Amino acid sequence: MTDVPPPTVPIDDLAHWRYPAAATLMAELLATEAISRRIASPAYEVARRGSRTGLLAGAVMVDPGVLPNLAEAVEGSRRKFAQVQHVDCFVYASAEMNAFIAPGRSGMFMALSSTAVNHLDADELKYVLGHEFGHAAFGHLDVVAGALLADGTLGAADVSRVCGWQRAAEISADRMGLAVCGSRSAASRALFKVASGIFSDAVVAS
């Protein structure tokens, strides 16, 4: 089936690409006393950093001399986002297809699992990179849902608020991934591979 490209709208038009409910849900989240108190706590910062420290312990930095194609893809995607001036990218060994982006000491750092690098084609990889850079552009890194929920102290209503915002944030990032890769088919294939864990080249999505 012939692929149909997404609408041609500039990537820096964040209002267009953001899922409509995402900004409202984030504002409500930050205005909730228990949640703002949790974000300000040392325990939140420990939880925010801790889950990623283990993953990166044995990771390798993406160097253009070693992984030129990946380095070019990361930098090419980064240049589309004025909000991201610098990113250090790492690959960590994992059987799961995953990626994340977080604030670093001199900009952003991104990590990709080895499975994502090994099993995504060039356009699928652009989708994943655009998704992660979208999180940074939309300001999602100010609130880390997993760290908010880590100690189980939030009440049911606040947990529901966090989960609702997290889903809206993921939809916004998905839309930005589509904007970057420019292919509905590639976006569909990447989403299917991430969700199903099926990495075969026989995967077809339209």
Side-chain angles (χ1 to χ4, degrees), residues 60-71:
V60 295
M61 190 169 188
V62 175
D63 185 291
V66 180
L67 296 166
N69 292 339
L70 180 57

Side-chain angles (χ1 to χ4, degrees), residues 5-90:
T8 305
V9 177
I11 287 174
D12 58 4
D13 186 353
L14 296 183
H16 173 84
W17 293 107
R18 190 193 307 266
Y19 180 63
T24 300
L25 289 171
M26 185 171 184
E28 291 175 354
L29 206 64
L30 296 175
T32 302
E33 182 180 355
I35 291 172
S36 61
R37 189 167 58 244
R38 168 70 177 166
I39 290 174
S41 71
Y44 171 81
E45 184 61 19
V46 170
R48 187 176 74 86
R49 294 179 180 275
S51 61
R52 290 161 177 162
T53 301
L55 289 177
L56 294 176
V60 295
M61 190 169 188
V62 175
D63 185 291
V66 180
L67 296 166
N69 292 339
L70 180 57
E72 182 179 352
V74 172
E75 182 59 18
S77 297
R78 184 206 62 77
R79 285 196 296 266
K80 297 178 183 292
F81 294 88
Q83 302 87 348
V84 183
Q85 297 300 310
H86 176 77
V87 63
D88 291 320
C89 187
F90 300 84

Side-chain angles (χ1 to χ4, degrees), residues 39-158:
I39 290 174
S41 71
Y44 171 81
E45 184 61 19
V46 170
R48 187 176 74 86
R49 294 179 180 275
S51 61
R52 290 161 177 162
T53 301
L55 289 177
L56 294 176
V60 295
M61 190 169 188
V62 175
D63 185 291
V66 180
L67 296 166
N69 292 339
L70 180 57
E72 182 179 352
V74 172
E75 182 59 18
S77 297
R78 184 206 62 77
R79 285 196 296 266
K80 297 178 183 292
F81 294 88
Q83 302 87 348
V84 183
Q85 297 300 310
H86 176 77
V87 63
D88 291 320
C89 187
F90 300 84
V91 177
Y92 64 95
S94 174
E96 295 184 356
M97 184 170 287
N98 198 15
F100 64 83
I101 192 169
R105 294 181 180 177
S106 59
M108 297 288 172
F109 77 85
M110 180 184 289
L112 302 166
S113 71
S114 55
T115 296
V117 174
N118 289 334
H119 293 286
L120 294 174
D121 67 28
D123 288 335
E124 293 163 1
L125 182 60
K126 286 180 184 178
Y127 169 83
V128 170
L129 294 173
H131 176 105
E132 296 305 327
F133 282 124
H135 279 309
F138 287 128
H140 297 162
L141 305 186
D142 296 337
V143 181
V144 179
L148 283 174
L149 302 174
D151 67 352
T153 59
L154 293 180
D158 289 335

